Amino acid sequence: MDNFSGPVRQGPDTKAEVPAGGVGLCLSGGGFRAMLFHVGVLQRLNLAGRLPLLDRVSSVSGGSITAALLGLHWNQLKFTDNVATNFDDLITEPIRAFAHLKVDLPAVAAGALLPFVTISDRVVSKFKRHLYGDATLQDLPETPRFILNATNLESGVLLRFSRPYVADYKVGRVDRADVPLADAVAASSAFPPFLSPYELDLSGEQWRTEPGNEHTSAGYRNEILLSDGGVYDNLGIETVWKRCRTVLISDASGHTDADPDPARDWARGIIRVLFLLDSQVRALRRSAVVDAFTNPHDPHDGFFISTVSDLRSWPVPANRPYVDVDPAVTERLAAISTRLTTIPDEQQELLINWGFAAADAGLLAYLDADLPAVDLPYPDRPLKDGQDVRS
């Protein structure tokens, strides 16, 4: 029988019943919207001097785009008093430039029309050209541990990409796999139905079998079909919850709007069903996490912030930059498409500001009541109504 404890399923990365310590950061899916929101979260953690305190960074889908770039450049960050002074040069600006590109539709079109070219090939090509080059998992740092999560369609659980190993607790592990970073991100962000599945060829690798591995035949260890990590765990908490006592969760997955007249054709109908299923899974995960944080017997601390947070009910001093955050603006930001496609500058800056403000509120309310106030990254883009936030 499956073993559940709190908001996660038991697996080899979640063995300790009570985490001894450590700080984990979870970055959710949500396409380019999530990619940018998480940049704002990371900017606030950086200015608060908390990036060097991280032990694990776990991500799925759009969150993996940002996490992988942070991991790739981690050892180039120049820390002064625990603040990386070159964070924007290495992380913010490349992510913003990437957010001007169109990735998903051109990849789908090329994969459908060109022989010997798959959709995944085109996505990987964009990631390599604009963000990761020829870097592999072995270019990630030893510490903190960066874990990019994809859903293994064959075993039904997560396949985890990290520097020490690529692993699935039902299949086994490959130690020190030299998988290109762009491929790991493409697998993690292979959102169904158009970008999924992603095929990962590990047939030439040396697999290690451990207790609990149920599916060890070549059929499970050669060409593996993967989908978006958010299909299984859209918050990316699976590999963090039982390893870290402090868990910081950034959820940019948004919400699924009501529709008085959903499409009746099978193609659009099944997409609507997929979105509703995804929304339900996310809601259950969020509920479990919030219940755990508010349970006095649970050892964890940290915060849960999201693009749909309403900061009006949070304890905030008058000098905070998010005091005037307008829920009408943040609701529209949360409704921006989760696609991997162009987001204009104004929306980019608003999303980064929103992630920054939400992280500031989370730190202040739950971890550091004396956290000094700082300005938003883009002061000319206040989170007030009147901003252009069309999706």
Side-chain angles (χ1 to χ4, degrees):
M1 178 180 292
D2 288 329
N3 181 12
F4 287 89
S5 179
V8 298
R9 185 190 302 263
Q10 185 78 10
D13 255 359
T14 57
K15 287 179 180 177
E17 286 301 323
V18 178
V23 181
L25 174 65
C26 303
L27 303 180
S28 79
F32 278 5
R33 179 183 70 204
M35 177 181 77
L36 291 160
F37 182 82
H38 297 322
V39 167
V41 172
L42 289 170
Q43 285 186 357
R44 187 62 188 105
L45 294 178
N46 180 44
L47 292 182
R50 288 182 172 265
L51 282 188
L53 305 181
L54 296 176
D55 294 287
R56 286 193 167 212
V57 179
S58 176
S59 61
V60 298
S61 197
S64 289
I65 302 175
T66 301
L69 192 67
L70 177 65
L72 178 60
H73 292 305
W74 184 266
N75 290 329
Q76 286 78 52
L77 292 174
K78 298 177 181 178
F79 287 101
T80 301
D81 296 327
N82 284 341
V83 176
T85 58
N86 58 342
F87 180 90
D88 286 340
D89 291 338
L90 294 179
I91 310 300
T92 306
E93 295 311 317
I95 289 292
R96 290 202 58 188
F98 192 68
H100 283 294
L101 302 178
K102 295 179 180 179
V103 177
D104 50 12
L105 281 185
V108 172
L113 298 175
L114 298 178
F116 312 114
V117 175
T118 68
I119 294 173
S120 298
D121 290 337
R122 302 300 296 178
V123 174
V124 167
S125 177
K126 282 285 181 69
F127 284 146
K128 283 188 174 182
R129 187 182 313 143
H130 298 281
L131 291 177
Y132 314 118
D134 293 324
T136 74
L137 295 177
Q138 300 313 306
D139 291 299
L140 296 174
E142 291 283 0
T143 304
R145 172 82 59 85
F146 283 81
I147 307 162
L148 313 179
N149 297 284
T151 300
N152 189 337
L153 295 175
E154 299 174 8
S155 68
V157 298
L158 289 179
L159 184 86
R160 307 178 306 283
F161 295 92
S162 65
R163 177 171 176 165
Y165 50 72
V166 173
D168 176 320
Y169 78 85
K170 289 188 176 182
V171 177
R173 61 191 276 180
V174 176
D175 291 329
R176 297 290 175 179
D178 209 30
V179 173
L181 196 55
D183 289 71
V185 176
S188 181
S189 57
F191 190 78
F194 301 114
L195 301 182
S196 175
Y198 173 91
E199 184 175 317
L200 177 68
D201 187 357
L202 293 178
S203 57
E205 301 291 343
Q206 183 67 42
W207 283 84
R208 178 176 168 183
T209 300
E210 299 177 306
N213 296 158
E214 305 171 23
H215 309 301
T216 59
S217 66
Y220 287 98
R221 290 181 166 184
N222 290 341
E223 290 81 22
I224 304 173
L225 295 183
L226 303 171
S227 191
D228 190 300
V231 172
Y232 184 87
D233 173 16
N234 199 56
L235 296 180
I237 63 174
E238 188 86 355
T239 61
V240 169
W241 191 257
K242 289 189 177 179
R243 290 288 186 175
C244 300
R245 187 178 289 268
T246 298
V247 181
L248 312 177
I249 302 173
S250 176
D251 178 18
S253 55
H255 59 87
T256 301
D257 292 326
D259 186 348
D261 186 27
R264 289 169 171 79
D265 61 279
W266 72 266
R268 289 182 297 165
I270 198 169
I271 292 174
R272 176 68 176 172
V273 169
L274 286 172
F275 279 129
L276 291 173
L277 288 171
D278 177 62
S279 179
Q280 178 69 359
V281 171
R282 285 190 275 111
L284 291 171
R285 287 276 185 176
R286 282 196 297 265
S287 178
V289 167
V290 172
D291 286 347
F293 277 151
T294 56
N295 182 350
H297 302 293
D298 191 284
H300 295 91
D301 63 5
F303 64 58
F304 176 89
I305 57 174
S306 81
T307 51
V308 296
S309 293
D310 185 349
L311 303 185
R312 292 175 299 179
S313 62
W314 291 35
V316 293
N319 64 339
R320 281 326 222 192
Y322 52 77
V323 168
D324 294 327
V325 169
D326 188 336
V329 173
T330 57
E331 286 173 10
R332 292 199 294 270
L333 289 172
I336 290 174
S337 170
T338 58
R339 290 179 50 201
L340 306 182
T341 195
T342 305
I343 294 183
D345 282 330
E346 183 165 358
Q347 289 186 17
Q348 289 190 26
E349 292 171 5
L350 286 167
L351 280 165
I352 291 172
N353 276 353
W354 180 211
F356 188 96
D360 187 59
L363 289 171
L364 183 73
Y366 300 109
L367 293 172
D368 187 357
D370 298 319
L371 184 69
V374 291
D375 290 332
L376 293 171
Y378 304 100
D380 294 335
R381 301 285 190 204
L383 295 160
K384 298 180 181 180
D385 211 358
Q387 298 289 342
D388 184 6
V389 194
R390 290 168 297 187
S391 58

